Amino acid sequence: MNAPELSKTERKVKQGLLLLMLVILTAPGGPALAQSGDDPDFAEAVRALNERSFKRKAGAVRALAATGGPRSREVLSAMLDGRLYYRKNDKTIVIAEASENGFRIVDAVTGSNLGEVGKREIRKIRVNNQLRGTIRGAIARLSLSDPDAGVRLDSVQRMLGGMTPETVALLMRAAESETDPRVREKMALGIALGRLEDDGADIRLAAIDTLTGSLEPIVRGALNGVAANDPDPDVRLAAEEAIKSIQARLKAYAMIETTFFGLSLGSVLLLAAIGLAITFGVMGVINMAHGELIMLGAYTTYVVQLMMPNHIDYSLFVAVPLAFLVSGLFGVAIERGVIRLLYGRPLETLLATFGISLILQQLVRSVFSPLNRSVSTPSWMSGSLEINSALSLTYNRLYILLFALMVFLALLLILKKTSLGLQVRAVAQNRAMARAMGVRAQWVDALTFGLGSGIAGVAGVALSQLTNVGPNLGQAYIIDSFMVVVFGGVGNLWGTLVGSMTLGVANKFLEPWAGAVLAKILVLVFIIAFIQKRPRGLFPQKGRAAEN
């Protein structure tokens, strides 16, 4: 009675073990282990990578790619990166990572950890440029079966540069089961590039039709070759038409990119000039120290990042309000200490604020040294938003543009919806009448100057993400800020917005053919001519500014 029961128990144990092996093999990493441990072709191909002949090594790379699987791609990636070695004592192929005492090595076939070895115990497997190209192609082929669509897309992109009949056939097979539309589109592009070498003119024409409108640089190069060398005149004509279509699209995207850079420059000018527009419009003060208040905001950002080096991604959220306070307090101190004593004497005010600008420059030189300081860019502002192969928008400029518009709207709400804004507008339009109505004009002047100075500090935070921070940072923007204020209309926020964006876009469109310096001169000449026709700018202010 016991023997049959024991036999059933054994069968159940065996079934359980088989089930466990099946789970292991189907789990993530399971196929790699099965491939490395059980596939003799994989093991043989890995060992053949240590052949002396580069031709045989290339054959081993192709054989390794033919086995498929993530372990093959891992070994080839290590070989391409210079991390594939062999152990001298037994010729075992290993993947090595540098450590303090030498190298940590892993068996390339089994994936098992072999511990640490000294530098003299292993030797790197040599590769040349031709073999690197073969390895890249093999990795791309292996990546076509990756579950991540991004990896597959990158794989097809790498294959576009060396399309052969074999890679065309490979892409055609892969396209049958591909579900991601972006990858399918890129595969169609690769297939069309490969078919440009087909003997049939109709096939080449169909390939050109598929490639028409593509912005990939490699497509333009291939079409240029067809237009110059194809024996069929109809094919050459179709290639020329496709090139014209692509060039028209490139010009359109270049214009969009130039406009974006112009708006980006305009947003910087808006931040730099909007505070000046308030103080100049309300108080009639030409503040030559405005650029140095921008500089203080940039240095505040630098100090904030020094204080929180492990939290750079959050540093700007601390720097913006802090820069506003620092520059704002400096502005209030300047107004209370100097400017309030010089109202009605514009030339003396200009000279006094110019002197203050020199004092502030020397202050930061004494504290931080005359050397420029680099401010780190948070990770969320790094990189670019790639629309297509011909157009990408950098995140830092995009965020600064949005930030400038937010500051503009916030300031507009303050001036339109708060009691301070009402008093500021009253003093700007008629100071004597405002005083008669009980408005404390001196208090309004101090807060207005502090508000404008604080916004200058915020502009410094934005500029720190575009350029190095130094004592002369503000000097580069003070003249442009005055031009924006005069062009848009003194004291008018909407005029400042339109003026800054207009001048920024105009500068960027003039720079390609006139150069940066001549472009600024042309813009200055245009503003001088414009002011001759409209002395009060695009949006003239009503009230005191108009009377003066």
Side-chain angles (χ1 to χ4, degrees):
M1 294 295 293
N2 292 336
E5 291 178 2
L6 184 60
S7 177
K8 290 180 182 179
T9 303
E10 288 177 344
R11 284 199 298 271
K12 288 181 180 180
V13 170
K14 288 180 180 179
Q15 289 173 357
L17 290 173
L18 289 173
L19 181 61
L20 179 62
M21 290 176 63
L22 182 62
V23 170
I24 293 173
L25 291 175
T26 55
L33 293 174
Q35 177 191 7
S36 61
D38 300 338
D39 190 345
D41 294 334
F42 172 79
E44 184 63 30
V46 170
R47 284 191 288 268
L49 294 175
N50 196 25
E51 293 281 353
R52 290 189 176 183
S53 167
F54 284 107
K55 186 176 181 180
R56 291 183 179 178
K57 286 183 181 180
V61 168
R62 287 188 285 270
L64 193 59
T67 64
R71 284 290 299 168
S72 298
R73 190 171 64 195
E74 182 182 347
V75 172
L76 291 175
S77 296
M79 189 176 185
L80 185 63
D81 297 339
R83 296 182 291 112
L84 197 66
Y85 290 72
Y86 68 90
R87 199 161 51 183
K88 292 181 181 180
N89 59 358
D90 57 3
K91 305 300 182 184
T92 301
I93 309 299
V94 297
I95 298 173
E97 298 288 349
S99 64
E100 293 182 2
N101 300 321
F103 290 91
R104 291 187 298 272
I105 59 173
V106 173
D107 192 309
V109 175
T110 64
S112 58
N113 187 4
L114 300 180
E116 291 196 12
V117 295
K119 296 180 180 180
R120 297 180 182 273
E121 297 179 51
I122 57 175
R123 180 171 294 175
K124 185 182 294 188
I125 294 178
R126 294 186 302 144
V127 296
N128 60 12
N129 289 335
Q130 185 176 0
L131 184 59
R132 288 189 184 93
T134 304
I135 296 172
R136 289 190 184 97
I139 293 173
R141 291 179 179 87
L142 286 168
S143 301
L144 286 178
S145 58
D146 195 279
D148 187 348
V151 174
R152 298 197 302 275
L153 185 65
D154 185 61
S155 169
V156 179
Q157 182 69 42
R158 290 200 301 268
M159 294 174 68
L160 294 182
M163 296 304 300
T164 63
E166 291 78 14
T167 53
V168 170
L170 179 67
L171 287 180
M172 290 179 67
R173 289 195 299 270
E176 293 175 358
S177 58
E178 182 56 56
T179 57
D180 190 279
R182 297 177 304 157
V183 181
R184 279 204 309 270
E185 182 181 354
K186 194 71 72 174
M187 286 178 171
L189 203 66
I191 293 168
L193 280 170
R195 286 177 172 173
L196 288 177
E197 304 294 331
D198 197 279
D199 294 333
D202 291 341
I203 294 177
R204 297 201 300 276
L205 285 171
I208 291 172
D209 185 61
T210 301
L211 297 173
T212 299
S214 173
L215 299 174
E216 293 284 347
I218 194 169
V219 170
R220 299 198 296 276
L223 289 176
N224 282 324
V226 172
N229 303 316
D230 197 277
D232 192 299
D234 292 335
V235 175
R236 291 200 301 271
L237 180 61
E240 291 171 358
E241 293 297 325
I243 292 169
K244 289 179 182 178
S245 172
I246 292 172
Q247 289 176 339
R249 291 190 66 193
L250 287 175
K251 287 181 180 178
Y253 282 119
M255 185 172 293
I256 294 173
E257 188 174 50
T258 303
T259 303
F260 170 72
F261 281 116
L263 292 175
S264 172
L265 175 60
S267 66
V268 173
L269 293 177
L270 175 63
L271 287 171
I274 194 169
L276 193 65
I278 296 172
T279 55
F280 194 16
V282 175
M283 305 165 65
V285 173
I286 301 176
N287 180 19
M288 295 301 293
H290 189 77
E292 280 57 48
L293 295 170
I294 295 174
M295 173 197 67
L296 290 177
Y299 271 103
T300 302
T301 309
Y302 170 70
V303 172
V304 167
Q305 290 197 349
L306 285 181
M307 296 173 64
M308 44 191 306
N310 298 324
H311 301 88
I312 297 298
D313 284 353
Y314 307 102
S315 61
L316 294 188
F317 297 102
V318 178
V320 168
L322 200 58
F324 181 86
L325 287 174
V326 170
S327 294
L329 290 175
F330 265 91
V332 171
I334 291 170
E335 195 279 334
R336 290 287 86 190
V338 178
I339 292 177
R340 72 182 181 89
L341 305 174
L342 300 174
Y343 284 127
R345 290 179 282 179
L347 181 59
E348 293 180 23
T349 305
L350 186 148
L351 292 174
T353 53
F354 180 70
I356 292 171
S357 73
L358 297 179
I359 293 171
L360 291 176
Q361 286 184 40
Q362 187 57 47
L363 175 65
V364 297
R365 284 191 178 96
S366 301
V367 175
F368 298 102
S369 86
L371 300 177
N372 287 343
R373 302 294 179 177
S374 178
V375 174
S376 301
T377 301
S379 61
W380 50 273
M381 288 185 70
S382 303
S384 59
L385 175 64
E386 187 172 342
I387 308 300
N388 52 47
S389 300
L391 178 64
S392 60
L393 309 178
T394 54
Y395 281 124
N396 59 346
R397 293 183 178 275
L398 189 60
Y399 280 120
I400 288 172
L401 175 59
L402 296 175
F403 178 67
L405 295 177
M406 289 171 59
V407 171
F408 173 81
L409 292 175
L411 186 59
L412 200 64
L413 289 174
I414 290 173
L415 294 179
K416 297 291 184 182
K417 302 295 183 181
T418 66
S419 59
L420 172 62
L422 179 62
Q423 294 180 37
V424 167
R425 286 183 286 126
V427 172
Q429 292 176 12
N430 194 317
R431 180 180 292 267
M433 182 61 72
R435 282 180 174 175
M437 296 296 293
V439 175
R440 297 170 60 189
Q442 290 185 345
W443 179 80
V444 172
D445 286 338
L447 289 184
T448 302
F449 204 90
L451 178 63
S453 300
I455 295 174
V458 170
V461 178
L463 282 174
S464 70
Q465 300 302 305
L466 299 176
T467 185
N468 287 329
V469 176
N472 299 319
L473 174 66
Q475 293 295 310
Y477 293 93
I478 185 64
I479 302 300
D480 289 337
S481 299
F482 276 112
M483 286 199 303
V484 167
V485 172
V486 173
F487 177 61
V490 175
N492 190 296
L493 292 186
W494 286 106
T496 305
L497 174 65
V498 174
S500 60
M501 296 302 175
T502 302
L503 295 184
V505 172
N507 261 300
K508 288 303 177 182
F509 272 98
L510 288 172
E511 280 180 7
W513 63 271
V517 176
L518 185 56
K520 284 187 176 293
I521 294 173
L522 292 174
V523 169
L524 179 60
V525 170
F526 164 75
I527 291 176
I528 292 172
F530 179 82
I531 295 301
Q532 296 299 313
K533 296 293 183 182
R534 293 178 65 93
R536 290 185 288 166
L538 284 172
F539 299 91
Q541 187 183 29
K542 297 178 181 179
R544 185 191 65 176
E547 294 165 3
N548 292 340

